[in-house]
Amino acid sequence: MANLGTGVRLKHLCEGELLWLQELSIDSKMNCPIFRSVSAFLKAKLSHMINPNDRSYTKDHEWALVDGNRVKIGITDFAQDALGDVVFVKLPEVGVAVTKGDSFSEVESTKSVSDIYSPLSGNIVQVNESLVSSPELVNSSPYEDGWIAIIEFGDESDLETMSSTDYDELTAH
Amino acid sequence: MTKEVYGAASGGRASSIPLMGGDSEPTIFEISVSGRRCGAIRDSGIESVDASDHLPLAYLRSEPVALPEVSERDLVGHFTRLTHRQYSVDLGAYPLGSCTMKYNPKLADTVAGMSGISGVHPHLPSSHSQGWLEIALEIESYLKEITGMAGATLSPAAGAQGELTGLLMMKAYHLDRGNHKTKILIPDSAHGTNPASVSLAGYSVVTVPSNEKGLVDLELLKSLVGDDVAGIMLTNPNTVGLFEEDIAEIAKAIHDVDGLLYYDGANLNAIVGIARPGDMGFDIVHSNLHKTFATPHGGGGPGSGPVAVAEKLLDFLPGPYPVRGHDGIKWTTPSKSIGRVHSFYGNAVVYARALAFMKALGGEGLRQMSQIAVLNANYLKAMISSYYPPAYEATCMHEFVVSTAALKKSFGIRALDIAKGLLDKGFHAPTVYFPLIVDEALMIEPTETESRQTLDAMAEALIELAKDALDEDAASKMAGGPRRTPVTRVDEARAARTLITTVDAHSK
């Protein structure tokens, strides 16, 4: 919780630490009232903080911001948090064709390498060159400075994404 | 030269200071003193010549290479101090899941060090190395028996090379039969080497998702199997430490399209003497001898990754390999061999160690080895499961995966922090963030070599860390840990973003 800047920390628990931790292990049966309330608070806090509603989202944790016949692609705050410190972004070449559902880029963190999938078919028209020297922008600014590529498309109805509300729901637990 | 570059005190200090507190050991270049040597070569009586009289100038250095210049005393002191700053399998428990970092009995080293074994030149003709060839045939026979296969090669130098060797045989098999295959299936929980080997062998990877039980989703797998599928790579038990219950049906689905089953031997330690990959339907099996049979662990190697194959792949084995004939054991190469994959016959002294280990334990001993590995994993899992929820409920095999996602969500304590915290409690960390299908994964493999007392101490350490997450002071310490090790928390992200891989780059 310290990382959320709330200043709140669970020091005193309903039946003491042991019981709380036992509850923790049974993920589906969060019977401890303090945990439930803090958990709800955290969820509200998280959903308030992230996932802007000016764009749509994929189940693979990319975001897509449409502007005319172009769509800007990046990864979500949830994704960057799960990946951890990003150390390298393999950018696609400008001009190459991408196919819906296929990987066009890779994001490498200290934990793993993850493919970035295109939510629709089109051509890469721009890539975020600043990620070459500053891959950490994906962590610090996933929705703005950390964008990855811009794809020009023919058919917007091809775009298979969900609303920010649905994505909030997907990543809430 | 190096003195100017680093501005550090040269010559080193024959003292134990670098073992204390936060003091660091300088690099070998930093203790270099111009002109200092380990030994002197006496006048050989051979006239010296100028290299430029005999070699093209383009191939000659313009100035000597900057090697460190140290005395033997400084050299031994430097590496001894570094050794004392390390954690190793000889020092303590090393529960690094999937890697099977078990203690290796010294007996195997003693046997491998015998002059009859280590003193034989690999260029000796087969007529003069019959004893060594007997060793090779004997370990081959044991590996065939343990894996349930018809033939084996000891050539590959490590598990990953074994994977490539196996896949090249798979490719040769399909080409020989006129099969047009392009894809190999791999579960989403697989080791990273699997897709890498598939790419090297010229196939494309198709990922098979796991189901909620952590096993291959059989129906999804069946939907992915077609005539273009060359085979599947699996490890069983899989990377979350669970036995793939549907293995017989998986094998049937793959064999129905004339595909082959590749067994990644990384988790063989769980099933030796209990179940055989060959009986499960596998056609190719590599063994990581260091994980299961007491040979040196990774790092600098050398390693050994023998590959055993089913009857239908015998003709494709790499050659030459030893075969017993009327007049002794001789080298031969099968008709459709994929060729050589290593000089001579692999890293021979390494697999001699494995043979010593197998013979010392015997068949019943090897079975007990696997039984205790599984028992130890389940014991430790039960000890900590109230604090670290297992990713999957089923009884585990030789390793298990827990998730610290709840600790991260509530207190910002990540799997990495728990792992680093364990270093401060005197144990090596488990594997973290693998397999990728489990959020904030800790993958724990205690191995059969740790006693119940050690397992209890490890469980206690892990539980203390989970409790520390609740306490603000303790948690903030953990997030910056380890604090008691010679090297404290390293900045992994900066290290990866700002690569410094050479002395030249360092000086800039």
Side-chain angles (χ1 to χ4, degrees):
Chain A
M1 279 176 59
N3 61 344
L4 293 174
T6 61
V8 181
R9 181 168 279 275
L10 289 178
K11 266 191 162 172
H12 308 290
L13 300 160
C14 41
E15 300 283 331
E17 295 172 359
L18 184 66
L19 176 62
W20 186 85
L21 281 163
Q22 279 169 349
E23 296 296 336
L24 188 74
S25 69
I26 311 165
D27 214 12
S28 56
K29 297 179 195 166
M30 296 290 190
N31 292 326
C32 170
I34 291 185
F35 184 85
R36 271 211 310 265
S37 60
V38 171
S39 178
F41 164 72
L42 278 172
K43 273 185 196 170
K45 180 89 182 163
L46 280 167
S47 57
H48 176 69
M49 279 173 65
I50 58 171
N51 305 332
N53 60 11
D54 60 350
R55 62 199 78 191
S56 59
Y57 298 84
T58 72
K59 62 177 173 36
D60 297 315
H61 310 290
E62 291 99 8
W63 54 259
L65 182 61
V66 176
D67 182 14
N69 65 340
R70 294 180 167 201
V71 60
K72 195 186 257 189
I73 311 282
I75 68 168
T76 66
D77 190 58
F78 178 87
Q80 70 78 20
D81 185 56
L83 282 171
D85 290 325
V86 172
V87 297
F88 178 70
V89 180
K90 187 180 173 190
L91 295 168
E93 277 179 47
V94 170
V96 301
V98 295
T99 310
K100 180 176 169 174
D102 283 0
S103 165
F104 69 92
S105 168
E106 286 173 3
V107 177
E108 182 177 345
S109 75
T110 52
K111 288 185 207 167
S112 66
V113 181
S114 296
D115 283 315
I116 307 302
Y117 300 101
S118 182
L120 80 184
S121 297
N123 288 298
I124 304 283
V125 290
Q126 206 180 328
V127 296
N128 188 356
E129 296 286 353
S130 57
L131 296 182
V132 175
S133 56
S134 304
E136 63 272 19
L137 289 172
V138 174
N139 293 118
S140 59
S141 178
Y143 293 115
E144 298 300 331
D145 302 337
W147 64 276
I148 292 171
I150 297 175
I151 297 169
E152 195 172 82
F153 55 84
D155 180 10
E156 191 181 342
S157 65
D158 194 27
L159 187 66
E160 201 174 307
T161 51
M162 66 185 92
S163 69
S164 63
T165 325
D166 288 346
Y167 186 72
D168 289 346
E169 185 73 17
L170 178 77
T171 54
H173 40 79
Chain B
M1 181 199 128
T2 49
K3 214 166 40 171
E4 291 156 19
V5 169
Y6 293 102
S10 59
R13 282 176 297 185
S15 84
S16 68
I17 285 296
L19 302 182
M20 299 173 185
D23 276 14
S24 63
E25 172 67 18
T27 67
I28 190 83
F29 290 96
E30 286 168 316
I31 62 173
S32 175
V33 174
S34 181
R36 190 168 284 178
R37 293 287 181 274
C38 271
I41 301 173
R42 277 181 286 178
D43 184 5
S44 63
I46 299 169
E47 195 183 338
S48 65
V49 293
D50 193 336
S52 60
D53 292 340
H54 300 272
L55 294 169
L57 280 177
Y59 295 112
L60 297 177
R61 289 181 183 278
S62 54
E63 54 188 78
V65 64
L67 294 173
E69 299 173 271
V70 292
S71 66
E72 179 180 323
R73 204 274 157 276
D74 287 346
L75 181 73
V76 171
H78 172 69
F79 285 109
T80 303
R81 289 191 296 273
L82 284 181
T83 306
H84 281 275
R85 288 157 62 87
Q86 298 298 323
Y87 195 93
S88 68
V89 278
D90 278 0
L91 185 66
Y94 211 125
L96 199 62
S98 196
C99 300
T100 317
M101 299 295 287
K102 65 191 193 183
Y103 171 76
N104 293 343
K106 298 302 164 205
L107 168 103
D109 284 343
T110 308
V111 170
M114 288 162 60
S115 64
I117 296 206
S118 64
V120 177
H121 197 281
H123 269 307
L124 273 183
S126 58
S127 58
H128 288 62
S129 52
Q130 288 291 301
W132 242 116
L133 297 178
E134 284 286 353
I135 288 176
L137 285 187
E138 191 164 12
I139 185 168
E140 274 179 24
S141 73
Y142 285 12
L143 286 172
K144 286 188 284 190
E145 174 60 28
I146 288 166
T147 58
M149 293 283 137
T153 173
L154 303 179
S155 279
Q161 200 196 3
E163 286 182 30
L164 182 61
T165 303
L167 290 171
L168 291 176
M169 283 190 268
M170 187 185 286
K171 192 164 197 174
Y173 168 85
H174 288 308
L175 288 174
D176 186 55
R177 293 168 68 89
N179 292 342
H180 296 287
K181 306 283 195 181
T182 55
K183 298 173 181 168
I184 289 182
L185 306 182
I186 295 181
D188 56 5
S189 63
H191 297 120
T193 47
N194 291 177
S197 301
V198 166
S199 295
L200 271 176
Y203 287 111
S204 60
V205 176
V206 178
T207 306
V208 187
S210 302
N211 62 21
E212 74 286 351
K213 290 196 287 184
L215 303 173
V216 167
D217 191 317
L218 185 62
E219 291 313 310
L220 260 168
L221 173 106
K222 284 180 178 168
S223 72
L224 295 170
V225 175
D227 286 334
D228 54 354
V229 169
I232 187 169
M233 293 185 88
L234 280 178
T235 168
N236 196 13
N238 65 17
T239 52
V240 295
L242 302 177
F243 194 83
E244 293 284 356
E245 299 162 356
D246 295 325
I247 185 60
E249 286 201 63
I250 293 170
K252 182 174 184 311
I254 300 292
H255 284 151
D256 280 350
V257 294
D258 200 18
L260 298 174
L261 276 81
Y262 185 99
Y263 183 93
D264 178 332
N267 296 335
L268 190 65
N269 206 49
I271 61 165
V272 177
I274 299 163
R276 306 195 305 172
D279 300 334
M280 299 176 204
F282 285 94
D283 305 293
I284 307 168
V285 181
H286 88 252
S287 302
N288 305 80
L289 295 187
H290 66 284
K291 295 189 186 187
T292 318
F293 303 112
T295 67
H297 285 266
S304 181
V307 178
V309 295
E311 186 93 37
K312 58 186 167 189
L313 289 161
L314 288 177
D315 285 349
F316 305 101
L317 280 168
Y321 60 71
V323 172
R324 193 186 305 280
H326 298 300
D327 49 351
I329 305 167
K330 289 192 169 163
W331 295 104
T332 187
T333 299
S335 56
K336 297 167 184 171
S337 171
I338 60 164
R340 264 192 188 280
V341 299
H342 195 279
S343 55
F344 306 110
Y345 198 44
N347 289 324
V349 180
V350 178
Y351 53 75
R353 277 187 170 83
L355 181 62
F357 179 79
M358 289 176 181
K359 288 184 90 77
L361 264 68
E364 189 48 42
L366 288 171
R367 189 205 315 271
Q368 274 181 16
M369 166 189 91
S370 287
Q371 287 170 336
I372 298 171
V374 172
L375 181 65
N376 276 3
N378 277 288
Y379 179 78
L380 188 58
K381 179 180 166 216
M383 290 290 285
I384 66 167
S385 61
S386 304
Y387 300 85
Y388 296 91
Y392 303 99
E393 286 305 322
T395 301
C396 69
M397 298 291 289
H398 64 308
E399 64 191 4
F400 60 99
V401 180
V402 299
S403 170
T404 65
L407 286 178
K408 182 186 173 195
K409 199 161 187 176
S410 303
F411 306 110
I413 292 293
R414 300 172 298 157
L416 185 72
D417 300 320
I418 298 290
K420 300 288 188 191
L422 202 57
L423 301 183
D424 269 343
K425 302 223 179 254
F427 292 109
H428 195 280
T431 298
V432 292
Y433 303 113
F434 181 82
L436 301 173
I437 54 173
V438 176
D439 192 22
E440 294 294 314
L442 285 179
M443 186 183 203
I444 303 173
E445 180 178 3
T447 82
E448 76 279 6
T449 51
E450 299 316 324
S451 67
R452 180 171 169 188
Q453 288 71 26
T454 298
L455 297 179
D456 286 342
M458 219 183 323
E460 195 180 324
L462 280 164
I463 290 166
E464 278 172 12
L465 290 168
K467 288 180 176 173
D468 280 354
L470 300 170
D471 180 89
E472 197 155 3
D473 291 340
S476 71
K477 274 184 191 158
M478 201 190 331
R483 288 161 183 264
R484 302 172 67 201
T485 49
V487 175
T488 53
R489 178 76 65 103
V490 290
D491 188 341
E492 292 174 26
R494 192 172 141 238
R497 285 169 187 157
T498 322
L499 280 180
I500 299 175
T501 55
T502 64
V503 174
D504 294 347
H506 193 284
S507 65
K508 283 168 195 158

